[in-house]
Amino acid sequence: MKRGLIAATGVAAMLVSVAACGSDGDDKKAGADGFKGETLTVWAMDGSTPEGWTKDVKAAFEKKTGAKLKLEIQQWNGIQQKVTTALSESNPPDVLEIGNTQTPSYAQTGGLAELDDLKKSIGADWSESINKSAVYDGKQYAAPWYAANRVVLYNKKIWAEAGIKDTPKTRTEFFKDLDTIGKKTDAEPLYLPGQNWYFFDGLTIGTGADLVKKDGDKWVSNLADPKVAKAMDIYKQYQAFSKAPKDKDEATPQQGEVFAKGKTGAFIGMGWEAGIAIKANPKIEKDIGYFTIPGETAGKPEGVFLGGSNLAVAAGSEKQELAKEFLKIALNDTYEGQLAKEGGVIPNKESLQAQLKGNPAGLAAAPAAATGGTTPLIPEWAPVENAPNPVKTYMTAVLTGKSPAEAAKSVEGELNKRLSQER
């Protein structure tokens, strides 16, 4: 998975593609040597496929099918356009790892093959929250591969200095702990810039809010909904414990680098952001702890944005059956569990979360996955997040004095304009 800030993830858009090579194999049956002489090429995004997982999946695939697997690592810069172009060509990739929030766009254009049969054969126990992004217009156009979400990363030394002996189980307890840190230490209780948009999106999921709504046959802004305002109020309560700028996001500057200075009690981010802090200050590694973002009541975590990747088959691929054989192997319990263990990502089945044992960040993220969600799963959403994201503008407006209703009104025109853009 991407080891930089997940943007739409998700997370950003995380994509693997399979460049098709040469022959037709549709009439062949799976089994040893059933596809002998064929090659399946997979574009995997940089960081998505751990070394051990890649080696083992490749060996299993080649042994079962007799075909060759060619894995090509893709870079993030320009990947969406590259995949869009590839799917429109006569010789497209066979299998694609696509960002979960990008799946509807590719499905709408007809670039992805339907995988309803695959869902029936191997996906009966896929986590509903993770699989949701792989479904478009009621049909399965991809298979859920993995997910990741935000957790609380905290400085154990500062929390001990404040006399806090346990991590909070409710949002109220968390606020109380942050208040205690502010009163008993010199540290900034929480680093939370005003435009940590994906954390806010998680809060809207927790309040049951929808960021868009249908007006006739068009999607329009729903930021004026009281449920959105409730989520923004929660965000505002969190942000009150921070000195971070209200008009910047978590990458400006990188919040991991701020945390590395040892003067911050906690921040809300992806588990891998600890690596940013450790790179900036190796001594802080021993002080970093993780816990699930607590919700309103104990035992029910806060809503979170699930970034991650789906695996899909190109509609134009001439190797549909071979591609599905790859998916059956890559997504089986053995290799899905191995991916979770090696990569620290949340697997597509709750029963496989035990593979996260020994990974404190993964274990902190997992409890919230079942009730997590994404940005609106509509093709029209993609332009919304282009800078300057009007939802971020809305957040800053509320944090600097406007009412949620006023702030929603001020960005409504721009948000609706983006939702109406042709792709």
Side-chain angles (χ1 to χ4, degrees), residues 169-187:
K169 301 300 184 289
T170 67
R171 188 189 306 135
T172 299
E173 290 178 6
F174 192 12
F175 287 160
K176 182 178 178 180
D177 289 341
L178 294 174
D179 185 59
T180 298
I181 291 170
K183 291 178 178 177
K184 295 189 176 182
T185 76
D186 294 329

Side-chain angles (χ1 to χ4, degrees), residues 1 18 76 174 217 243 262 308 313 334 361 403:
M1 119 180 263
V18 178
W76 292 96
F174 192 12
D217 61 350
K243 298 177 183 176
V313 176
T334 296
S403 70

Side-chain angles (χ1 to χ4, degrees), residues 135-185:
V135 177
Y136 176 70
D137 199 24
K139 297 178 181 179
Q140 193 83 32
Y141 280 102
W145 192 20
Y146 65 82
N149 56 261
R150 282 157 180 77
V151 298
V152 180
L153 295 87
Y154 72 106
N155 187 315
K156 293 185 285 186
K157 183 178 180 180
I158 291 175
W159 283 55
E161 182 183 342
I164 304 171
K165 297 181 179 180
D166 198 7
T167 55
K169 301 300 184 289
T170 67
R171 188 189 306 135
T172 299
E173 290 178 6
F174 192 12
F175 287 160
K176 182 178 178 180
D177 289 341
L178 294 174
D179 185 59
T180 298
I181 291 170
K183 291 178 178 177
K184 295 189 176 182
T185 76

Side-chain angles (χ1 to χ4, degrees), residues 62-92:
E62 295 185 349
K63 180 179 180 180
K64 180 180 180 183
T65 66
K68 295 294 183 182
L69 181 67
K70 184 179 180 182
L71 185 67
E72 295 183 347
I73 303 300
Q74 304 296 312
Q75 300 304 311
W76 292 96
N77 188 31
I79 190 59
Q80 292 186 44
Q81 184 56 50
K82 186 173 184 178
V83 170
T84 298
T85 299
L87 289 176
S88 68
E89 294 176 340
S90 60
N91 187 31

